[in-house]
Amino acid sequence: MSDTRQNAPARILGLFETICLIRAFEERAEECFDAGLINGSVHQYIGEEAIGTGVCTNLRHSDYILSNHRGHGHSIAKGADPEAMMKELMGRVGGTSGAKGGSMHIADFSVGMLGANGVLADGLTMGVGAAQAIALKGEDAIVTVFVGDGTTNRGPFYEALNWAMIYELPIMFVCENNQYASSTVTRTITAGDGPTARAKAFGMPAFDVDGNDVVAVDELAADLIGRVRGGGGPHFLHARTYRVKGHISRDKMLYRPDGETEERFKDEPLGRCATWLVANGVDPAEVERARNSAYARIDAAVEAAKAAPFPDAGLAYADVQDFGPPEPWSPAGGAP
Amino acid sequence: MSDTRQNAPARILGLFETICLIRAFEERAEECFDAGLINGSVHQYIGEEAIGTGVCTNLRHSDYILSNHRGHGHSIAKGADPEAMMKELMGRVGGTSGAKGGSMHIADFSVGMLGANGVLADGLTMGVGAAQAIALKGEDAIVTVFVGDGTTNRGPFYEALNWAMIYELPIMFVCENNQYASSTVTRTITAGDGPTARAKAFGMPAFDVDGNDVVAVDELAADLIGRVRGGGGPHFLHARTYRVKGHISRDKMLYRPDGETEERFKDEPLGRCATWLVANGVDPAEVERARNSAYARIDAAVEAAKAAPFPDAGLAYADVQDFGPPEPWSPAGGAP
Amino acid sequence: MTEMTFADAVREGLAEEMRRDPLVWALGEDLSTAHGGTSANQYLGLIDEFGPKRIVNTPISENTIMGAAVGAAVAGTRPVADLRMADFAMCAVDELVNQAAKIRYMFGGQARVPLVVRQAIGMRKGGAAQHSQSTEAWYVHTPGLVVVAPATPADGRGLLKSAIRADDPVVYMEHKDLWMASGEVPDDEGLVPIGQARTLRTGTDLTIVSWSKMALLADEAAQTLADEDGVSAEVIDLRTLWPWDRKAVYASVRKTGRLLVAQESVQVGGFGAEIATDVTEHCPDALATHVRRIGAPRMPVPYAEPMENEFRVTPARIVAKARESLGA
Amino acid sequence: MTEMTFADAVREGLAEEMRRDPLVWALGEDLSTAHGGTSANQYLGLIDEFGPKRIVNTPISENTIMGAAVGAAVAGTRPVADLRMADFAMCAVDELVNQAAKIRYMFGGQARVPLVVRQAIGMRKGGAAQHSQSTEAWYVHTPGLVVVAPATPADGRGLLKSAIRADDPVVYMEHKDLWMASGEVPDDEGLVPIGQARTLRTGTDLTIVSWSKMALLADEAAQTLADEDGVSAEVIDLRTLWPWDRKAVYASVRKTGRLLVAQESVQVGGFGAEIATDVTEHCPDALATHVRRIGAPRMPVPYAEPMENEFRVTPARIVAKARESLGA
Ligand SMILES: Cc1ncc(C[n+]2csc(CCOP(=O)(O)OP(=O)(O)O)c2C)c(N)n1
Ligand SMILES: Cc1ncc(C[n+]2csc(CCOP(=O)(O)OP(=O)(O)O)c2C)c(N)n1
Ligand SMILES: [Mg+2]
Ligand SMILES: [Mg+2]
C-alpha cells in the first residue's frame, strides 16, 4: 500500500474509509434482503470489518486471497467493486460472478480475490495450492486465506497447515474468531487453547491480535505479510472479534443471552477507529465526511443494482465446461 | 490382566509369548503370501510387536480396539484366534470375517476387536463414536485406537482428537511411529514436533515411549489406561518404533538406504524382550520354549488353514443388507 | 390425523423413537441450541427432553459426524447423524460408503450398522451451486445402503421411524422446500415400510414415477393432463429409492402401457435412468412406447432466478414430456 | 509403434506434457520416492528430470491433494493429482465435486480449472471391498466434470495428454489390472481426442458398448460369439464416459439393431443405465429388441476367490447376455 508510517492518521483514515464502505454495504445488503431483493443466505461481516481491512491493506494487487461464506468484507477490502457485488447479490447483469453465484460465491479474479466459498475449510486447501502455483511460477505474490473459528475444527484446516509448512509456502492464514459457529458458541466445541496453539503445533509462527482494533491488525499484518513475502514461510494471524449480527440475515439469535450483543457492540471497530482518528488529531468533520461518502457510494451501488436487468435465462448454459456442455430444454420438455 | 507387579518376569514372559505369536504369524503369513496362498496385500507388523502387545495386555476383554491396515498384531494381542486369522488371509471357511475381508479387514467382535481398516484414519473417527456409545450405555469399557505416523497428516485424525476432548470420552490413541509412510520417510511430510505436540494442542495428555521396549510400553499403557478408565478422559501414547519389513509383502524397499534395516533390526523388540527376561532371572530354556511353542501354534494354524475349504460362491450374496439385498446372477447372465 | 409441517412431523417421529429406545440418539451441528438445528428447527426442544448425551451438538467435523455414527452403530447404539445438506455430506462420503455401507459385509456379518444419515437435498430459491444438490443416484449405486426420500409429513415421520429401526445404514433425504409444507399426519405410530411406494393418483393412460418434492409436482402435472387433455395419469411416489418398489411400478405400467420418470436432479446418470432401464428390461411387452424421463440439464445450479428456473423440472415441462409419450 | 505397458505409456505421456508445458506438474503420495508411486511405478524417474517442485511427494492428506490441485489450477497451473484409487478418492469428493466441478460456473466464467485427477478403478485379485471400486457413474452424473477410462496403453497415454491440455477438470480412471498390460503405442504425439470412441471390432448383428478393462473382455466375448454362434458383434470402447460418443453408438445400433452395454461396476444405477436409456430414447425405431446391460451384483467386493468371482462380469456372462438379446 502507501509507504506512510504504519499508524499515521492519514493511513488509518484510509482504513476507516474501507471499514465504512464494508459497514454500509452490509447494512444495505440486509435491507435489500429484507425487502426481498436478494435470495439465498447473506452472512453479515458487521463488527469484523477491521480484520479484512487491516490485512488486505497490506496486500498487493497481485496477491491472492481466498475467502469463505462471510466474504463481502474481504472482497471489498481486496478491491472488488461494491456495485458489481451488489448486482451479484441481486442476481443482476454486471454481477461479479455473472449472477451465477450470489453472496456466497463472489469472486473477482481481476483483483486477486479467488472466491468466497459455500463449503467450510475448502478455501484453506485451495489456498495452499494457489501458493504452490505461485512458487512454481516463481512469482513473488503471496496468498492469504480467511477462516472462521468454528471451521478450525474441520480436518482440512490441519492438512493445509501441515502442507503449507512442509513446502514452506508463501501464505498467511487469518483466523477470524467471532466466537460463534452459526448458533453454537465455538468455545463449547473446541478443545485446547485454540487456533494459535493449534497452528504452533505445526511449527507455524502464530500471533493473536484484537481484531476490532484496525490499528493493531494493520501493524501485525504488515509485519507478518512482510515476513511471508521475505521468504519466511507460512504465518498464522488469530484475530479476536465478535459477530454482532445473526449468522445469516434471517437469524433471530434466540441462542444469545439478552444484552450480549449490545454490550459487545460497544467495542465495534468502526466506532473505535473513529475515536482513534479524532484522538490522533483528525478533524471529526473529516471522519464524518468519510463515513458519509461511503454510504453515498453504496447507496448509488444499490440503485444501480436495482436498475440493472436480470440476466437472460439462456446464459444458464454457458461456462459449465468445454467438453460435453449441457443441452438446453427441448421444446418437448426433457433435458437431453 | 493379572495383578502381578507390572514388570515382574512372569508378566513379561507372558508378553514375550504374545510377541512371539505375532512374529511367527507374520513370518508364516509372508511365506504363505510368497507361496501364492494369500491374495491382496499383507502389511507386516514385524518389529512393532511390543506396542500392540504392551497396550492390549492392559485392556479388558470388554474394551474395544480399532485398528488399521497393519492390524495382525493388534488382533492377536487383543485375543483373536490366529488360526481363524490365517484362514481369513487364505480366504477359507472359518476365517475371522468369513473370508469376505482378507488381511486388511480382520475383525473379531467376540474379543472387542472392531476391525482393521483399509482406509487410513477412519478408525479414529469410528473410535470416538464407539467411545460415545460406551458413554451412552454407561459401560465402563474404554476404546483404544491404533494409528500410524503417516496417518497423523490426515484431517480426520485432528477432528477425532478434538471430538474426544470435547465429550471427555474414554479413549486412548496409540500412534505407532515406524518412521515410514509406505515408501516415504514420514519426517519429510510432517511439520512441527510430531504427534505428541499435535495431541497436546488439543489439551490432550500425551506421552512418548520407546515402542521396541515392551516393558516400557506395558508400564506406560497401564498408567494411561488406568487414567482413562478412571474418568481421566482421552490420552495419547506415542510409540517410536521401526518398520523392519517392506510396507507390504511385495515391497522391495528400494527407497531405503543400504544397511538401515539391518542396523535398526538390532533393536527389534523380540530379542530385546528375551534379553530382558534372561537378565531378570528367567531360565533361557524357558524363553526358548515360549518361542518354540508360539511357532508350533502358528504352524498348526497354517496347516489348518491350508486344509480348510474355500467358501461356497453363493455366500457372496449374504450379509450385504436386510432391505434390497443383491440378486444372484440369472442363468441368462445379467445381474438384476 | 393432525395437520403439521414436515419438519415438525419428522421431529415428532425422532422424539417418539428416542422415547421408545434409549439407544437412539442424534448428532450434528447446532442440534442442541435454541434454534434446534439451524435449517428448519428439526430438533427444537429435544435437548430439554433428552439431554446433551442424546442430542449431541457437534463441532464442524463432517468426517467425524459420519465416522462417529458408524463407530457408535457398530458398538450397539442407533445414531441419527445429521449432515445438514447433501452438499456438505460430500465431505463424509468416505465414512458413509467405505465404512457404513461395507462393515457388515467386510466383517462377514459380525456387525450391523444401524444408523440413519440425514442429508437435505433439492433446490431452495437462491441456494446456488453448493447448497442445492440432489445426490440420491450415488447412494442407490452403492451396495449396502438403503435410500429414502419422502415427500409428505406423514411419510417423513413414518420413514424416519422405520429407518431408525432398520439394521441397515439408511440415507434419509429430505427436501429443503418441504420442511415448511404441511400435511395430515396419523395419530398412531404411523410407520411407513421401507421399500413401499405410494400411489398419489390412480390412472389408466400413463404412469408417472417420481420421489421427494418432484412427486408433488408430478401430481400437479397429472391434474393439468386431466383438465386440459382428459388424460388419466397414475402418479407413483416411490418414497424409498433403494430398494424401490418395482412390483408397484411394474403393475402400473402393465396397466397404462406408458411410463414417465420425473426427477429434480441432473438427468444424465440419474436414478431415473435406472428405473427406465429396469422397467424396459422387465416389462418390454407392456410398453406401448419407450419409457420417457425428465430431469435437470447437466449443469451446476445457478443463482439468478431466470437462470435458476432453467434448472427446474416444472409441472409444465412434465406435462410436455407426458404429451410426447402419449402422442407416440 | 513401440510395445510398452500401460503404466509406462502413461508415464511417458505425462513426461512429454511436462516437457512441453512448464506449468504441468503432478502431486500425490509416494510420487517421488524410488518406487515412483507405489502402485505401478507410474512416476518412476520423473523426480530426477523434473525435481520436487513438479513431482510433489505429498503427505497423506487426500482433501488437500485434491483441494491444492483446484487452487493451483485456478491460479494458472495444470496439476495432475493422483489419489491412487477411486476408493481413497472418496475422501476428496467434496473438493472435486463442490469446487473443481463448479468454480468456472459459480464465478461466472472468471476462472478455469484445468486439472486431471487420477483415480485407479476396478478389481485387483484379493483387493476386497475398499480397494476395488469403480465409481465412474458418480462423476458422469456430476456437471462440470469430464470422465475418461482408457483400456489400452496407447489410449492411456493419448487421453492423459488430452486431459492435461483440456481446460476442464478431468477424472482420469485407469484400471489396476491394466497397468502391466502391454500394447502398441504410437511414436508420434498420439493425442486421443476427448469424447471419441474406438471400435475394437466391427460387426453387423449386435453392438456391445463398454469401457476400461471390460471393453477387452467384451471383445473376448465377441470372439466367442463369432466362433461358437457365427454371430458378428461390433465392440465399441467408449474411452471417454463424459462426453461419451453418442454418434458412434447410435450409428452402430442403427446398423446392428441390438445393443448390449457391459460394465465392471455395480449394475444398479451404473453408467450402463444411462447409455441404455439414452439410446432407447434416441434410436427407438432402430432397436430390434430392448437394450440389454450387464454389470456386477449390488454388493461390496468380497475377498475369497470363489465369492470374488461372483462379482465379476466375465466374457462367459457377456456371451450369455448377448445370446439373450440375439434370441429376442
Ligand atoms: C463443510 C460445511 N459444513 C457446514 C456448513 C454450514 N455452515 C455454514 S457457516 C457455518 C458456521 C461457521 O462458523 P465459523 O467458521 O466460525 O465462521 P463464521 O460464520 O463465524 O464467520 C456452518 C456450520 C458448511 N457451509 N460447510
Ligand atoms: C485414505 C487413504 N489414503 C491412502 C492409502 C494408501 N496407504 C495405505 S498404508 C499407507 C501408509 C500409511 O503410513 P502410516 O500411517 O505411517 O502407517 P504404517 O503403514 O507405517 O503402519 C498409505 C498411503 C489408504 N489406504 N487410505
Ligand atoms: Mg465464527
Ligand atoms: Mg508409519
Side-chain angles (χ1 to χ4, degrees):
Chain A
M1 220 61 202
S2 77
D3 58 0
T4 31
R5 210 176 73 264
Q6 199 65 358
N7 66 0
R11 176 183 177 85
I12 304 304
L13 182 60
L15 302 188
F16 180 72
E17 288 165 7
T18 303
I19 290 174
C20 292
L21 207 55
I22 297 170
R23 178 71 55 92
F25 185 92
E26 295 294 49
E27 288 179 359
R28 294 296 181 259
E30 184 157 30
E31 289 162 22
C32 292
F33 180 88
D34 295 339
L37 287 162
I38 296 173
N39 296 329
S41 300
V42 172
H43 299 80
Q44 293 277 331
Y45 195 59
I46 292 180
E48 310 181 31
E49 300 93 339
I51 305 168
T53 301
V55 166
C56 292
T57 190
N58 291 288
L59 295 175
R60 297 178 186 162
H61 186 87
S62 55
D63 293 331
Y64 297 136
I65 67 165
L66 288 96
S67 174
N68 57 11
H69 55 290
R70 201 175 297 286
H72 300 168
H74 308 142
S75 303
I76 291 174
K78 188 64 169 71
D81 171 16
E83 182 178 311
M85 289 171 59
M86 193 60 78
K87 286 174 175 167
E88 187 64 30
L89 266 57
M90 292 193 200
R92 308 300 176 100
V93 169
T96 47
S97 300
K100 281 205 166 94
S103 168
M104 259 188 286
H105 307 298
I106 285 177
D108 186 346
F109 281 64
S110 69
V111 300
M113 163 36 174
L114 301 193
N117 209 313
V119 183
L120 300 172
D122 285 6
L124 292 149
T125 56
M126 288 160 60
V128 294
Q132 244 159 335
I134 286 171
L136 183 63
K137 294 193 279 182
E139 297 167 348
D140 83 335
I142 76 164
V143 174
T144 297
V145 182
F146 293 91
V147 57
D149 48 331
T151 304
T152 63
N153 290 320
R154 270 209 77 212
F157 171 74
Y158 302 93
E159 289 191 2
L161 295 185
N162 181 61
W163 191 284
M165 289 300 293
I166 293 170
Y167 305 114
E168 298 168 333
L169 299 173
I171 187 168
M172 177 169 75
F173 299 93
V174 175
C175 179
E176 301 180 302
N177 189 343
N178 62 13
Q179 303 176 46
Y180 282 89
S182 196
S183 66
T184 296
V185 175
T186 309
R187 196 183 339 98
T188 64
I189 50 169
T190 309
D193 295 336
T196 310
R198 293 177 179 197
K200 286 178 177 161
F202 293 89
M204 192 181 298
F207 304 85
D208 294 296
V209 68
D210 176 350
N212 287 12
D213 178 351
V214 74
V215 177
V217 174
D218 175 39
E219 209 155 338
L220 179 58
D223 175 16
L224 301 190
I225 288 169
R227 300 194 206 181
V228 173
R229 208 181 294 286
H235 282 67
F236 194 91
L237 188 160
H238 174 240
R240 288 180 312 281
T241 181
Y242 183 79
R243 199 195 71 211
V244 173
K245 289 289 190 165
H247 173 61
I248 51 175
S249 292
R250 271 181 303 279
D251 183 356
K252 299 277 166 297
M253 295 203 280
L254 304 173
Y255 48 84
R256 194 176 270 186
D258 287 346
E260 180 183 294
T261 309
E262 297 68 18
E263 182 54 33
R264 299 302 310 269
F265 189 71
K266 295 184 186 142
D267 189 47
E268 63 83 22
L270 189 151
R272 276 181 66 177
C273 186
T275 307
W276 186 97
L277 287 168
V278 174
N280 284 266
V282 177
D283 175 353
E286 202 177 341
V287 174
E288 203 43 37
R289 246 195 320 278
R291 185 204 303 263
N292 295 338
S293 71
Y295 277 84
R297 184 169 166 202
I298 298 301
D299 288 334
V302 170
E303 290 319 309
K306 284 185 188 165
F310 286 100
D312 292 342
L315 290 172
Y317 303 95
D319 283 318
V320 176
Q321 58 195 107
D322 294 340
F323 295 94
E327 292 167 43
W329 290 91
S330 63
Chain B
M1 216 63 202
S2 78
D3 58 0
T4 30
R5 209 175 74 265
Q6 200 66 356
N7 65 2
R11 175 183 177 85
I12 304 305
L13 182 60
L15 302 188
F16 180 72
E17 287 164 8
T18 303
I19 290 174
C20 292
L21 207 56
I22 297 170
R23 177 71 54 91
F25 185 90
E26 296 294 49
E27 288 179 359
R28 294 296 182 258
E30 185 157 31
E31 289 162 20
C32 292
F33 180 88
D34 294 340
L37 287 162
I38 296 173
N39 295 330
S41 300
V42 171
H43 298 80
Q44 294 276 331
Y45 196 60
I46 293 180
E48 309 181 32
E49 300 93 340
I51 304 169
T53 300
V55 167
C56 292
T57 190
N58 291 288
L59 295 175
R60 298 178 185 161
H61 185 87
S62 55
D63 293 331
Y64 297 135
I65 67 166
L66 289 95
S67 174
N68 56 10
H69 56 289
R70 201 175 298 285
H72 300 167
H74 307 142
S75 303
I76 291 174
K78 189 65 170 68
D81 171 16
E83 182 178 312
M85 289 171 58
M86 195 59 78
K87 286 174 174 167
E88 186 64 30
L89 266 57
M90 293 194 201
R92 308 301 176 101
V93 169
T96 48
S97 300
K100 280 205 166 94
S103 168
M104 258 188 287
H105 307 298
I106 285 177
D108 185 347
F109 281 65
S110 69
V111 299
M113 162 41 174
L114 301 193
N117 210 311
V119 183
L120 299 173
D122 286 6
L124 293 150
T125 57
M126 288 160 60
V128 294
Q132 245 160 334
I134 286 172
L136 183 63
K137 293 193 278 184
E139 298 167 348
D140 83 335
I142 75 163
V143 174
T144 297
V145 182
F146 293 92
V147 58
D149 48 331
T151 304
T152 63
N153 290 320
R154 270 210 77 211
F157 171 74
Y158 302 93
E159 289 191 1
L161 295 185
N162 181 60
W163 190 285
M165 290 301 292
I166 292 170
Y167 305 114
E168 298 168 333
L169 299 174
I171 187 168
M172 178 169 73
F173 298 93
V174 176
C175 179
E176 302 180 301
N177 189 343
N178 62 13
Q179 302 177 45
Y180 282 88
S182 195
S183 66
T184 296
V185 175
T186 310
R187 195 184 339 97
T188 64
I189 50 169
T190 308
D193 296 336
T196 310
R198 293 178 178 195
K200 285 178 177 162
F202 293 90
M204 192 181 297
F207 305 83
D208 294 296
V209 69
D210 175 351
N212 287 13
D213 177 352
V214 73
V215 177
V217 174
D218 175 39
E219 209 155 337
L220 179 58
D223 175 17
L224 301 190
I225 288 169
R227 300 193 206 181
V228 173
R229 207 181 293 286
H235 282 68
F236 193 91
L237 188 159
H238 174 240
R240 286 181 312 281
T241 181
Y242 182 79
R243 198 195 72 210
V244 173
K245 289 289 190 164
H247 174 59
I248 51 175
S249 292
R250 271 182 302 278
D251 184 355
K252 298 280 166 298
M253 295 202 280
L254 304 173
Y255 47 84
R256 192 175 273 188
D258 288 346
E260 180 184 295
T261 309
E262 298 65 21
E263 181 53 34
R264 298 302 310 268
F265 189 71
K266 294 183 186 145
D267 190 45
E268 63 84 20
L270 190 151
R272 276 180 67 176
C273 186
T275 307
W276 186 96
L277 288 168
V278 174
N280 285 264
V282 178
D283 175 352
E286 202 177 342
V287 174
E288 202 44 35
R289 248 198 316 282
R291 185 204 305 259
N292 295 339
S293 70
Y295 276 84
R297 185 170 165 200
I298 297 302
D299 288 333
V302 170
E303 289 319 308
K306 283 185 189 166
F310 286 100
D312 292 343
L315 289 171
Y317 302 96
D319 282 318
V320 176
Q321 58 196 107
D322 295 339
F323 294 94
E327 292 167 43
W329 290 92
S330 63
Chain C
M1 289 288 187
T2 310
E3 176 91 4
M4 58 176 97
T5 66
F6 190 101
D8 292 343
V10 173
R11 182 177 53 248
E12 255 323 295
L14 175 58
E16 288 159 21
E17 291 306 301
M18 290 182 73
R19 288 179 200 119
R20 191 184 56 77
D21 181 351
L23 293 176
V24 176
W25 59 293
L27 67 161
E29 297 155 11
D30 300 296
L31 296 202
S32 74
T33 68
H35 285 188
T38 52
S39 301
N41 318 115
Q42 305 101 303
Y43 300 84
L44 193 63
L46 298 187
I47 180 69
D48 305 323
E49 179 173 359
F50 301 105
K53 265 202 165 57
R54 293 182 68 194
I55 297 295
V56 177
N57 210 56
T58 70
I60 302 168
S61 303
E62 279 71 19
N63 293 99
T64 309
I65 293 171
M66 192 68 238
V70 176
V74 161
T77 66
R78 295 183 170 275
V80 176
D82 195 320
L83 290 174
R84 195 170 289 193
M85 290 193 194
D87 314 72
F88 311 150
M90 289 183 192
C91 300
V93 165
D94 163 53
E95 291 78 5
L96 175 60
V97 173
N98 280 328
Q99 306 300 343
K102 296 175 171 56
I103 279 178
R104 175 181 173 185
Y105 193 78
M106 281 189 306
F107 297 157
Q110 291 183 76
R112 291 284 196 278
V113 189
L115 65 80
V116 179
V117 52
R118 297 177 69 168
Q119 308 187 4
I121 55 174
M123 300 169 72
R124 193 167 45 175
K125 201 172 173 190
Q130 293 177 333
H131 290 66
S132 307
Q133 295 169 88
S134 300
T135 49
E136 67 276 8
W138 291 5
Y139 304 121
V140 167
H141 186 50
T142 303
L145 297 180
V146 169
V147 184
V148 300
T152 67
D155 288 343
R157 167 172 171 260
L159 270 173
L160 181 69
K161 291 165 68 108
S162 295
I164 288 171
R165 298 184 191 191
D167 284 340
D168 294 334
V170 179
V171 179
Y172 182 95
M173 301 183 132
E174 50 208 299
H175 197 294
K176 306 176 197 86
D177 271 353
L178 294 179
W179 276 325
M180 291 309 145
S182 300
E184 294 283 299
V185 176
D187 300 318
D188 67 6
E189 184 137 85
L191 288 175
V192 173
I194 288 169
Q196 195 176 97
R198 192 167 65 94
T199 301
L200 294 187
R201 160 191 308 252
T202 58
T204 54
D205 304 336
L206 164 77
T207 302
I208 307 180
V209 168
S210 192
W211 58 90
S212 191
K213 179 189 172 189
M214 191 54 55
L216 308 181
L217 301 191
D219 197 51
E220 279 182 42
Q223 187 57 52
T224 304
L225 289 166
D227 299 343
E228 299 180 6
D229 306 41
V231 163
S232 160
E234 182 150 295
V235 180
I236 296 178
D237 172 6
L238 286 179
R239 306 195 294 188
T240 297
L241 307 191
W242 189 266
W244 59 287
D245 194 341
R246 295 150 114 202
K247 263 215 233 59
V249 174
Y250 294 171
S252 178
V253 170
R254 293 206 174 93
K255 178 174 63 173
T256 65
R258 298 172 193 277
L259 175 62
L260 168 59
V261 184
Q263 67 185 38
E264 173 175 334
S265 43
V266 168
Q267 174 165 307
V268 172
F271 179 46
E274 174 61 29
I275 297 171
T277 306
D278 179 275
V279 172
T280 303
E281 287 164 339
H282 291 83
C283 316
D285 309 330
L287 289 167
T289 176
H290 67 82
V291 179
R292 303 299 197 282
R293 62 174 169 160
I294 183 167
R298 191 176 181 276
M299 60 193 193
V301 177
Y303 172 72
E305 208 164 340
M307 295 191 284
E308 187 181 46
N309 290 335
E310 285 301 296
F311 191 90
R312 293 185 188 277
V313 172
T314 59
R317 287 177 167 139
I318 295 173
V319 166
K321 202 66 180 166
R323 287 176 178 150
E324 183 191 309
S325 170
L326 291 157
Chain D
M1 289 288 190
T2 309
E3 176 90 4
M4 58 175 100
T5 66
F6 190 100
D8 291 344
V10 173
R11 181 177 55 247
E12 254 323 295
L14 176 57
E16 287 159 23
E17 291 306 302
M18 290 182 73
R19 288 179 199 118
R20 191 184 56 77
D21 181 350
L23 294 175
V24 176
W25 59 293
L27 67 162
E29 297 154 13
D30 299 295
L31 296 202
S32 74
T33 69
H35 285 188
T38 52
S39 302
N41 319 114
Q42 305 102 304
Y43 300 84
L44 193 63
L46 298 186
I47 180 69
D48 305 323
E49 178 174 359
F50 301 105
K53 265 202 164 58
R54 294 183 68 194
I55 297 294
V56 177
N57 210 54
T58 71
I60 302 168
S61 304
E62 279 71 18
N63 293 98
T64 309
I65 293 170
M66 193 67 237
V70 176
V74 161
T77 66
R78 296 184 170 275
V80 175
D82 195 320
L83 290 174
R84 194 170 288 192
M85 290 193 195
D87 313 73
F88 311 151
M90 290 183 191
C91 300
V93 165
D94 163 54
E95 291 78 6
L96 175 61
V97 173
N98 280 327
Q99 307 299 343
K102 296 176 172 55
I103 279 177
R104 175 181 173 184
Y105 192 78
M106 281 189 307
F107 297 158
Q110 291 183 76
R112 295 296 168 94
V113 188
L115 65 81
V116 178
V117 52
R118 296 177 69 169
Q119 308 186 4
I121 56 173
M123 300 169 72
R124 194 168 45 176
K125 200 173 173 189
Q130 293 177 334
H131 291 67
S132 307
Q133 295 169 89
S134 300
T135 50
E136 68 274 9
W138 292 4
Y139 304 121
V140 167
H141 186 51
T142 303
L145 298 180
V146 169
V147 183
V148 301
T152 67
D155 288 343
R157 167 173 172 260
L159 270 172
L160 182 69
K161 291 165 69 107
S162 295
I164 288 170
R165 297 183 191 191
D167 285 339
D168 294 335
V170 179
V171 179
Y172 182 95
M173 300 184 133
E174 51 208 299
H175 197 293
K176 305 176 198 86
D177 271 353
L178 294 179
W179 275 325
M180 290 310 145
S182 301
E184 294 283 299
V185 176
D187 301 318
D188 66 6
E189 183 137 83
L191 287 175
V192 173
I194 288 169
Q196 196 176 96
R198 192 167 64 94
T199 302
L200 293 188
R201 160 192 307 252
T202 58
T204 54
D205 305 336
L206 165 77
T207 301
I208 308 180
V209 168
S210 194
W211 57 91
S212 190
K213 179 189 173 189
M214 191 54 55
L216 308 181
L217 301 189
D219 198 50
E220 280 183 43
Q223 187 56 53
T224 305
L225 288 167
D227 298 343
E228 300 181 5
D229 307 41
V231 164
S232 160
E234 182 150 295
V235 179
I236 295 178
D237 173 6
L238 286 180
R239 306 195 293 187
T240 297
L241 307 190
W242 188 266
W244 58 288
D245 194 341
R246 294 150 116 203
K247 263 214 232 60
V249 174
Y250 295 171
S252 178
V253 170
R254 293 206 173 93
K255 178 175 63 172
T256 64
R258 297 172 192 277
L259 174 63
L260 168 59
V261 185
Q263 66 185 37
E264 172 174 335
S265 43
V266 169
Q267 175 166 306
V268 172
F271 179 47
E274 174 61 29
I275 297 172
T277 307
D278 179 275
V279 172
T280 304
E281 286 165 338
H282 291 84
C283 316
D285 308 330
L287 289 167
T289 176
H290 66 81
V291 179
R292 303 299 198 282
R293 61 174 170 159
I294 183 167
R298 192 176 180 277
M299 61 192 193
V301 178
Y303 172 72
E305 208 164 341
M307 296 191 284
E308 187 180 46
N309 289 335
E310 285 301 297
F311 192 90
R312 293 185 189 277
V313 172
T314 59
R317 287 176 167 141
I318 296 173
V319 166
K321 202 68 182 167
R323 286 176 177 151
E324 182 190 309
S325 170
L326 291 157

